[in-house]
Amino acid sequence: MTAYSLLDLVPIVQGGTASQAFANAADLARHAEGLGFTRYWVAEHHGMEGIASAATAVVIGHVGAATSTIRVGAGGIMLPNHSPLQVAEQFGTLDALFPGRIDLGLGRAPGSDQRVSAAIRRGMGGSGNEFPQDVVELQSYFADDGQTGIRATPGAGADVKLWILGSSLFGAQLAAALGLPYAFASHFAPGLMDEAADVYRRNFRPSAVLDKPHLMLGFNVFGADSDDEAEYLATSQQQAFVAIRTGRGIQLPPPVRGYRESLGPQGNAMLEQVLSASAIGGPDKVRAQLAAFVARTGADELMLTSAMFDHDARRKSLTIAAEAMKSL
């Protein structure tokens, strides 16, 4: 069976608060744990009023304390925003608190716009060009091999599972060279998915942590009792995508009937491209679309994600997705 996991951006809905978003995250993680999801990840984003996961390691600790068996981690930490030593200490701490359950996905994007990125990286000079060297340095801290001359405490010897994230060919090449699992962000940037998957698989070199490629692909799921209801619920995420693409970050809005019809050809074309790796519909349609995606890509694991305004509807969507994955 193809493994399935959950990516949560911890959305703040219009009229809601960060406190409520964190409570929903803990509840959603417990729900996912009960449904057999392999892992629950949160992502590092900054300066976005609709996303509450900026202090990613802190949120992971909150979710880890609310669950007992599901793996929890970052999908991901944007490594140019941090020193590798600090990341080793943070995730070494999480591993000490939740042994054998911590994942650390690493990306090189800023997770913000240029202005916010400059504020985060003040005095660091990080551009993303040092990303491969930073990954190797981080591996050294966890391995406690003495190569850096510094011992991370906590962190040395921690059982933290590293992943490389990406939406281009760069991450695929690096993950293959280092023999690490690779997660591609096809849930919002599917354009290079097939090419990146091929690059990763063809160039993979076995390592001490992985003997063959392990490819995870992002996939949106908006499930409901009927196709019509699912299409309606999905408009919250669609509105958020349109806002981001037009330079406006917004809190997650309520769904709108007929939203797609209100967009012009350009807006609809953008959404079709951005959300091409998605299942939107009732249980039968979700099952068929998930099955088709897995059959086409041969993914080892899917990282399922979606943002819905109503928390109970989102829980139900996860249930539909899990039942569909179990049936494949």
Side-chain angles (χ1 to χ4, degrees):
M1 186 179 75
T2 305
Y4 54 99
S5 296
L6 174 64
L7 174 65
D8 185 11
L9 299 188
V10 195
I12 304 174
V13 301
Q14 286 185 7
T17 64
S19 294
Q20 186 59 52
F22 295 135
N24 288 346
D27 179 71
L28 203 68
R30 285 190 294 266
H31 186 56
E33 185 173 67
L35 292 171
F37 280 72
T38 300
R39 60 192 94 244
Y40 170 102
W41 282 2
V42 296
E44 178 185 351
H45 290 279
H46 301 279
M48 304 183 73
E49 63 175 299
I51 296 177
S53 55
T56 314
V58 179
V59 179
I60 293 168
H62 167 65
V63 172
T67 54
S68 57
T69 58
I70 193 170
R71 297 191 66 87
V72 292
I77 289 292
M78 301 299 104
L79 195 50
N81 292 343
H82 314 272
S83 74
L85 177 59
Q86 287 177 313
V87 176
E89 291 170 341
Q90 291 171 5
F91 280 79
T93 299
L94 288 168
D95 176 67
L97 291 169
F98 312 108
R101 295 176 57 200
I102 300 300
D103 292 334
L104 174 52
L106 300 169
R108 67 184 183 117
S112 58
D113 61 30
Q114 289 184 340
R115 180 178 56 87
V116 175
S117 176
I120 292 168
R121 301 180 183 185
R122 185 177 299 169
M124 293 178 62
S127 64
N129 295 329
E130 306 88 357
F131 183 65
Q133 293 84 1
D134 286 349
V135 172
V136 171
E137 182 180 338
L138 184 56
Q139 287 181 306
S140 179
Y141 288 128
F142 287 135
D144 195 22
D145 58 14
Q147 293 298 309
T148 66
I150 300 171
R151 196 162 196 262
T153 306
D159 182 22
V160 175
K161 302 302 182 187
L162 295 186
W163 291 69
I164 300 298
L165 312 184
S167 57
S168 68
L169 304 186
F170 181 91
Q173 293 164 341
L174 181 61
L178 296 178
L180 292 174
Y182 179 55
F184 187 85
S186 37
H187 59 293
F188 74 88
L192 291 173
M193 178 186 70
D194 292 322
E195 190 175 353
D198 180 63
V199 166
Y200 173 61
R201 287 167 169 152
R202 279 192 296 105
N203 296 288
F204 182 84
R205 300 175 186 172
S207 68
V209 298
L210 198 63
D211 60 357
K212 62 181 180 179
H214 186 95
L215 175 66
M216 177 195 287
L217 299 177
F219 193 83
N220 300 286
V221 176
F222 303 90
D225 288 332
S226 68
D227 293 353
D228 180 69
E229 181 69 6
E231 293 282 357
Y232 168 65
L233 294 171
T235 62
S236 292
Q237 180 77 81
Q238 291 164 2
Q239 292 174 75
F241 269 134
V242 170
I244 290 172
R245 289 300 177 97
T246 54
R248 300 179 299 113
I250 60 173
Q251 293 183 331
L252 189 70
V256 175
R257 295 281 181 193
Y259 175 69
R260 292 295 294 269
E261 289 77 7
S262 73
L263 291 177
Q266 186 174 357
N268 271 296
M270 182 275 289
L271 284 179
E272 288 295 330
Q273 192 277 328
V274 168
L275 295 174
S276 60
S278 300
I280 305 175
D284 290 342
K285 190 172 182 181
V286 166
R287 186 180 306 111
Q289 291 176 328
L290 279 167
F293 185 76
V294 170
R296 186 176 77 77
T297 63
D300 301 294
E301 187 169 348
L302 296 188
M303 179 55 77
L304 304 179
T305 185
S306 70
M308 289 184 175
F309 184 81
D310 182 79
H311 182 63
D312 288 337
R314 196 172 180 215
R315 284 172 53 97
K316 185 165 191 174
S317 179
L318 285 188
T319 300
I320 290 170
E323 290 173 349
M325 291 301 299
K326 290 174 184 176
S327 72
L328 297 186

